[in-house]
Amino acid sequence: MKNFLLVLFLFPTLGLHAGWGLWDADRSYVTFNVKGVPTTKTVWSTSAGDFQNFDFGTFITGDIFQLTDYDVKTWKNGGGNVTGGTFYYVIYPKGNRPGSPVFSSTSLLFLADLGSGDQKLGFTSATVNIDMLNGLSAGEYTIEIYCGVNGTTPTDIVYDNNGGNASNYTAHFRYNYVRSLADGNWSATGTWFDGIVPNVSSISVEINNGVILDQVETINSLIINPGKTLSISSSQSLTVSGALTNNATASGLVVESGGSLITNGSVSGSVTVKREIASDSKWHFLSSPVTGQNICDGNFAPLAGDFNSTTGATYDLYRWNEPAVSGDLNWLNLKNADWSLNTTDFGATPQFAANTGYLVAYGSSFAGSTTKTFTGIPYSGDKTVTLTTGGIGWNLIGNPYPSAINWDGITKTNIEGGYYYIYNEAKAGGAGYEYYSDGTYKSDGATGKIPAMQGFFVKATGASLDLPNAARVHDNGWLKNETGNPANLLRIKISNATNYDEAFILFEPNGTAVKDGYDAYKLFSLNNQMPQIYTLTGDEQKISFNSMPYTANPVDIRAGLIIPADGNYSIHISGLESFPSLPEILLEDLKTHTAQNLVQTPVYSFAATTTDDPNRFILHFNGPIGINEMSPEQAFDIYFSGNSIFISGKENRKLTGDVIIYNMMGQQMVHRKLSENALTKITLDAPPGYYLVKIITRNTTYTGKVYRD
């Protein structure tokens, strides 16, 4: 309903003029398409309507939020006339109105004759669909609207602008910006305003409650408000692509042990990062993911005032000193010989240094918690690790991030062989080092992912190592092997009744007989009860992973042992199936003056003492390796049918020569001549499993695998 002329001259602020004007009651309405639902709001009806300060909710990428309809009612008499008008709108960050907003506009057209000179102006979805989200980055926004109506007699513009309010009519919404509503899990809709779980990488998140991240997420940015908390659960991870702002204390952002945090933008505020280390006297390499973490906090080591013989016997903490020549001088103990704090090497107030590894162990009577807590500003961005080469070249450095790093994403120019070495008490077979250069040159337990808070050794050949932020990954489970083994890779294992250790020999084009960049050094276990095995290069280096060249001639490789106690041991080889052309492999025992064919009998048992010559064994490889090798698939089809193996020459090729069949233990099952026809049938009474088939012709040797169901 409109107001009449009686009040026109008394209330000019209502937008009325002699001859024409705007209705007061039931004046104007606006409609939006909100995620496919038409939503109409009153702009003005004797006062500001329900559009004013309305919250349209949260929208994410792909949602619909369109301005589709607007109408304003006018009146006229006494020769006055309404000629048209303009609708104005602007969108800006909530709480940050520009001093001079730049409005967009659309014309108001005639919509309907309401009688008695009244009419309705505006627009409809038939002609207007304005995308409110176009071009917006993540954030909270204000929509500001008003309109101006033109008329004659008198000629003027009358505004529908919330009674002349400086900010006109305003409503609000969020785009790719999600705020928490209640305490709860990240994955629960009840935790978030509008029930929108922030699980899209374009979304920015504001934490106003206690939220637990219970899933893997990537978000645009993160704000944690004072007194609120976000906890990243174990095995879960969070990537923040933009800014991370923690306005709470360090307890406001917690990365639980096994959790992971990657920050690719600016970081403001502190975090708490945890790592579980059992009080079982086992050794661990450790590094800090934050700045300024004190060592003597009662948890990593006793408080500075509590250093004495009682507390000192319950733990160990060392850092590494590369320039020392040899022996124990490399390890610098936090405790002096008289149990006092070693301020000479660690400073008056010891703190974990950036990019640095430490060696720790805790006994069952250590007073600190098994949950080690780092508190400070998290390291982020590209890091340069200083290396020294003034002594033996070995540097104990550390992953500086609260996430794993991918060694394959790092340029290793100044690292000998490109290897890292991590000490692992849980290593298969018993405590020892895992090592990795790439997917070929590695131990079984390493995949190139170095966990958060993990120290590791490298042997430096230059002054620095760059760790790019882009190398960070969410993978704290490096004790797994997801890659297959290359061809011509032999595994050598020494074992006693309790533990075992392994070394590898790889024959390949890159290998040499002396220590080269493809070989991994042998670093010995800190547990002196572990048997150890290695091979020796031509220049007397002890090697875990030995890269040897292809050869057409016999080659000898010395194998060395560390025997922890007098007793019975065994050497076992495996990986024979990886050799396209299987050589004869003899193990010579220089103490007993015997030799054993390991291809036929791959396990050699022997008695040993701690005083034995460590280099008592020689591996003799007789036969070409990597020379003129062809896979059988290039010349033959080999398959099982029933209890028989069939060997068929391709392209009807006649088969001449010998065939030898081994089980996967290397034991010979059959040795006979080929049929000299295109097909050879060999009956094999053997259980299901894989078998090696070696075909020897006049010119070359072929080796392949076949499976019997």
Side-chain angles (χ1 to χ4, degrees):
M1 174 178 287
K2 64 182 178 179
N3 284 2
F4 292 95
L5 287 177
L6 179 64
V7 296
L8 296 187
F9 298 103
L10 297 177
F11 302 100
T13 57
L14 295 180
L16 303 176
H17 257 276
W20 65 273
L22 308 182
W23 287 26
D24 187 30
D26 197 30
R27 179 194 295 171
S28 48
Y29 297 86
V30 65
T31 300
F32 292 84
N33 179 346
V34 179
K35 302 178 183 179
V37 178
T39 302
T40 299
K41 294 295 171 183
T42 303
V43 178
W44 181 273
S45 181
T46 69
S47 64
D50 58 0
F51 174 83
Q52 184 67 16
N53 293 322
F54 183 74
D55 188 340
F56 281 96
T58 303
F59 302 86
I60 63 174
T61 301
D63 284 345
I64 297 174
F65 186 36
Q66 296 172 324
L67 172 61
T68 59
D69 300 79
Y70 175 80
D71 64 78
V72 59
K73 300 179 181 68
T74 67
W75 60 268
K76 60 182 179 180
N77 59 28
N81 192 27
V82 176
T83 59
T86 306
F87 176 86
Y88 299 91
Y89 68 95
V90 66
I91 298 173
Y92 49 81
K94 185 179 179 182
N96 191 23
R97 186 179 191 269
S100 299
V102 178
F103 286 85
S104 299
S105 63
T106 188
S107 296
L108 299 178
L109 305 176
F110 174 80
L111 294 180
D113 187 344
L114 303 178
S116 302
D118 297 346
Q119 56 188 5
K120 180 164 51 174
L121 303 181
F123 53 81
T124 69
S125 59
T127 57
V128 172
N129 286 279
I130 301 171
D131 186 354
M132 298 283 99
L133 306 178
N134 183 44
L136 297 183
S137 57
E140 290 192 279
Y141 290 93
T142 293
I143 312 168
E144 183 176 328
I145 65 171
Y146 73 98
C147 83
V149 176
N150 303 313
T152 59
T153 312
T155 300
D156 206 345
I157 301 176
V158 177
Y159 293 99
D160 182 11
N161 59 358
N162 196 7
N165 189 295
S167 58
N168 302 300
Y169 302 102
T170 56
H172 312 284
F173 69 95
R174 291 165 296 283
Y175 178 59
N176 283 333
Y177 191 93
V178 176
R179 290 185 293 162
S180 69
L181 176 67
D183 295 348
N185 288 335
W186 187 289
S187 62
T189 57
T191 304
W192 308 99
F193 271 101
D194 306 311
I196 294 178
V197 176
N199 55 10
V200 179
S201 60
S202 57
I203 290 179
S204 293
V205 176
E206 180 181 329
I207 301 297
N208 295 307
N209 304 89
V211 178
I212 299 172
L213 181 66
D214 59 340
Q215 57 193 31
V216 175
E217 287 296 350
T218 297
I219 60 175
N220 179 44
S221 65
L222 174 66
I223 296 175
I224 303 172
N225 285 323
K228 311 308 177 183
T229 61
L230 172 63
S231 177
I232 301 173
S233 301
S234 178
S235 302
Q236 306 304 333
S237 61
L238 177 65
T239 299
V240 183
S241 302
L244 187 159
T245 304
N246 181 12
N247 293 320
T249 62
S251 60
L253 178 55
V254 178
V255 183
E256 298 290 349
S257 183
S260 180
L261 171 66
I262 292 177
T263 50
N264 293 321
S266 62
V267 177
S268 175
S270 297
V271 302
T272 296
V273 188
K274 300 179 182 180
R275 177 177 169 179
E276 288 292 328
I277 299 180
S279 296
D280 55 5
S281 299
K282 293 183 177 180
W283 294 105
H284 304 269
F285 285 170
L286 186 65
S287 66
S288 176
V290 303
T291 62
Q293 174 61 50
N294 288 330
I295 293 175
C296 300
D297 67 343
N299 200 19
F300 293 103
L303 298 173
D306 293 337
F307 272 62
N308 53 58
S309 59
T310 301
T311 61
T314 65
Y315 78 101
D316 282 294
L317 191 150
Y318 296 87
R319 73 175 181 84
W320 179 259
N321 181 32
E322 184 276 331
V325 176
S326 63
D328 292 338
L329 294 176
N330 291 110
W331 289 111
L332 302 178
N333 196 335
L334 182 66
K335 302 170 289 189
N336 288 317
D338 63 357
W339 304 103
S340 63
L341 175 62
N342 178 3
T343 58
T344 301
D345 296 315
F346 288 81
T349 305
Q351 291 187 339
F352 286 96
N355 313 318
T356 301
Y358 294 80
L359 175 66
V360 300
Y362 300 96
S364 58
S365 57
F366 179 67
S369 171
T370 59
T371 302
K372 308 304 176 185
T373 301
F374 294 91
T375 300
I377 299 173
Y379 292 115
S380 186
D382 299 342
K383 299 298 176 186
T384 298
V385 182
T386 299
L387 304 174
T388 62
T389 56
I392 58 177
W394 288 100
N395 286 247
L396 181 57
I397 63 177
N399 176 0
Y401 304 113
S403 69
I405 52 177
N406 179 9
W407 194 246
D408 290 330
I410 294 170
T411 300
K412 300 173 279 286
T413 305
N414 293 330
I415 304 300
E416 184 171 334
Y419 281 97
Y420 71 76
Y421 302 79
I422 290 178
Y423 191 73
N424 177 22
E425 284 277 5
K427 180 177 179 289
Y433 283 87
E434 304 282 6
Y435 50 87
Y436 184 95
S437 177
D438 63 21
T440 296
Y441 307 98
K442 62 183 180 62
S443 63
D444 271 352
T447 58
K449 309 301 190 298
I450 301 176
M453 295 164 283
Q454 180 66 59
F456 56 99
F457 269 119
V458 295
K459 189 165 189 184
T461 58
S464 64
L465 172 68
D466 291 330
L467 301 179
N469 201 73
R472 298 173 65 179
V473 292
H474 293 304
D475 189 337
N476 286 335
W478 53 271
L479 289 176
K480 57 187 178 182
N481 185 10
E482 298 176 345
T483 57
N485 290 322
N488 298 313
L489 178 67
L490 187 72
R491 183 192 312 263
I492 314 162
K493 179 166 69 176
I494 182 174
S495 59
N496 56 20
T498 306
N499 301 108
Y500 67 85
D501 187 37
E502 294 178 321
F504 298 85
I505 300 173
L506 174 66
F507 291 90
E508 57 158 346
N510 297 321
T512 65
V514 297
K515 173 69 177 70
D516 57 45
Y518 299 98
D519 298 330
Y521 285 102
K522 177 64 180 181
L523 299 186
F524 294 99
S525 175
L526 300 175
N527 183 344
N528 58 15
Q529 300 303 307
M530 282 289 301
Q532 305 275 280
I533 191 168
Y534 55 88
T535 60
L536 286 167
T537 59
D539 52 351
E540 303 295 320
Q541 297 296 314
K542 297 174 182 178
I543 299 299
S544 284
F545 193 103
N546 195 347
S547 172
M548 292 290 291
Y550 285 154
T551 179
N553 302 309
V555 62
D556 298 337
I557 299 175
R558 290 177 295 165
L561 305 178
I562 299 294
I563 300 298
D566 298 353
N568 295 318
Y569 295 84
S570 65
I571 291 176
H572 175 208
I573 67 167
S574 59
L576 297 175
E577 71 279 5
S578 72
F579 286 78
S581 177
L582 188 65
E584 179 185 62
I585 304 173
L586 298 178
L587 178 68
E588 181 182 359
D589 187 337
L590 298 178
K591 180 177 180 178
T592 62
H593 306 289
T594 59
Q596 179 171 305
N597 187 326
L598 294 179
V599 173
Q600 296 179 351
T601 308
V603 179
Y604 176 73
S605 300
F606 62 99
T609 69
T610 58
T611 58
D612 285 350
D613 181 356
N615 304 324
R616 85 179 244 187
F617 291 98
I618 301 175
L619 287 161
H620 301 279
F621 293 83
N622 300 318
I625 304 175
I627 305 296
N628 294 326
E629 291 183 348
M630 292 179 62
S631 67
E633 290 81 4
Q634 295 175 271
F636 306 98
D637 287 320
I638 305 175
Y639 56 92
F640 249 111
S641 180
N643 64 346
S644 298
I645 292 178
F646 291 86
I647 304 170
S648 175
K650 290 191 174 180
E651 299 178 354
N652 209 32
R653 178 184 298 173
K654 292 185 178 181
L655 308 178
T656 59
D658 289 80
V659 58
I660 307 173
I661 300 173
Y662 303 90
N663 64 21
M664 296 309 291
M665 296 294 292
Q667 298 168 325
Q668 181 175 301
M669 309 287 292
V670 173
H671 185 175
R672 55 160 285 183
K673 293 289 186 181
L674 293 167
S675 66
E676 298 190 2
N677 297 312
L679 182 68
T680 295
K681 176 183 178 181
I682 301 172
T683 300
L684 186 68
D685 186 14
Y690 281 102
Y691 294 86
L692 294 177
V693 180
K694 184 175 184 179
I695 300 171
I696 305 170
T697 69
R698 183 177 64 179
N699 298 320
T700 190
T701 298
Y702 312 86
T703 303
K705 279 192 303 185
V706 64
Y707 184 77
R708 180 178 184 183
D709 294 328

